[in-house]
Amino acid sequence: MPEPTPILTDAAPDWLGWLPSRLVAIDVETTGLAETDRMVSFGAVALDTASLAAGLPEVACHHLIFDPGRASHPRAEAVHGYDDWLLRHQDPAGIHAGTLAAVLAGADLVVAHNAAFDLGFLRRELHAAGLPPVAARVYCTMEAYRRRGEKGRAALDAVCRRIGLARAGTRHGALEDAWLALRAYLWLQACPVAVARPPLSAPTNLRQVPPRPEGPLPPRP
């Protein structure tokens, strides 16, 4: 059932005054949790916050997939759902580093859940491509949720249950998680306008994959 559009007046609401003009919520999926792991996918939802006043949020979505150059840890693969055969046929992240930088450069505020994790991977990819780090201010919804003194866990799934949201499926997709982080941020800012879930389409740079060979995969080049 679609969420109701709130009734808004011509005057700018109080909560709009403390929102940045343009925020970009992001998420990355990775081969694992260590600093030596690599990024597998990137999702971002950019929001023009002035559009919230009219109850018609204007968003732009970005969704990319990469060859991390290594196999994912089994637990990480179970989370994001991309197997090594599919990933080894994608572009490395460095080819799209300029796009990543451009998406982030347009933000007054970058929002992420467990921002230190996501920004750490992005920072390493940008550095490897010879690009500067993220310059925008960063807001971590996980830390902000904890500062509120909310009981229980502060993982993204737990926060979403608290605010009445749920994933479309069981996998963690970077684009959907970026949207969930955006919704968590707006809830934390007492914004009553709901940003609808974007179409969860495949990454825009996804390459077609040849049939998987039988048996164990051949070694990576």
Side-chain angles (χ1 to χ4, degrees), residues 114-189:
N114 193 4
F117 178 84
D118 296 277
L119 269 295
F121 279 90
L122 282 168
R123 190 177 299 114
R124 287 191 288 274
E125 294 294 349
L126 294 174
H127 177 76
L131 295 171
V134 178
R137 294 183 298 120
V138 176
Y139 184 100
C140 179
T141 50
M142 184 176 71
E143 293 180 0
Y145 185 81
R146 285 173 172 163
R147 287 195 298 269
R148 280 175 59 97
E150 298 284 346
K151 296 180 180 179
R153 300 176 65 243
L156 185 56
D157 284 349
V159 174
C160 289
R161 285 192 295 272
R162 170 69 176 81
I163 64 179
L165 295 175
R167 297 182 188 281
T170 58
R171 302 289 191 189
H172 286 222
L175 179 58
E176 184 176 35
D177 280 11
W179 171 74
L180 291 171
L182 172 63
R183 290 293 301 267
Y185 170 79
L186 294 175
W187 177 79
L188 288 162
Q189 304 306 313

Side-chain angles (χ1 to χ4, degrees), residues 16 19-24 45-53 56-60 182 195:
L16 190 60
L19 295 182
S21 297
R22 184 173 177 81
L23 64 87
V24 178
V45 181
L47 171 67
D48 176 359
T49 58
S51 66
L52 295 171
L56 298 171
E58 295 178 7
V59 300
L182 172 63
V195 177

Side-chain angles (χ1 to χ4, degrees), residues 19-107:
L19 295 182
S21 297
R22 184 173 177 81
L23 64 87
V24 178
I26 65 163
D27 182 76
V28 302
E29 299 300 325
T30 66
T31 59
L33 303 178
E35 289 191 3
T36 53
D37 281 297
R38 300 293 301 277
M39 195 161 57
V40 164
S41 62
F42 168 83
V45 181
L47 171 67
D48 176 359
T49 58
S51 66
L52 295 171
L56 298 171
E58 295 178 7
V59 300
C61 296
H62 308 271
H63 193 195
L64 298 171
I65 189 171
F66 315 111
D67 174 11
R70 57 176 295 177
S72 296
H73 186 283
R75 290 185 180 179
E77 184 176 321
V79 169
H80 58 64
Y82 296 125
D83 67 19
D84 189 46
W85 183 247
L86 181 144
L87 291 175
R88 66 173 63 186
H89 289 90
Q90 308 307 315
D91 295 329
I95 290 180
H96 299 279
T99 299
L100 297 175
V103 170
L104 298 169

Side-chain angles (χ1 to χ4, degrees), residues 190-214:
C191 171
V193 182
V195 177
R197 189 190 308 265
L200 301 178
S201 53
T204 53
N205 65 329
L206 179 67
R207 292 181 177 273
Q208 294 298 312
V209 177
R212 182 185 175 112
E214 295 184 6

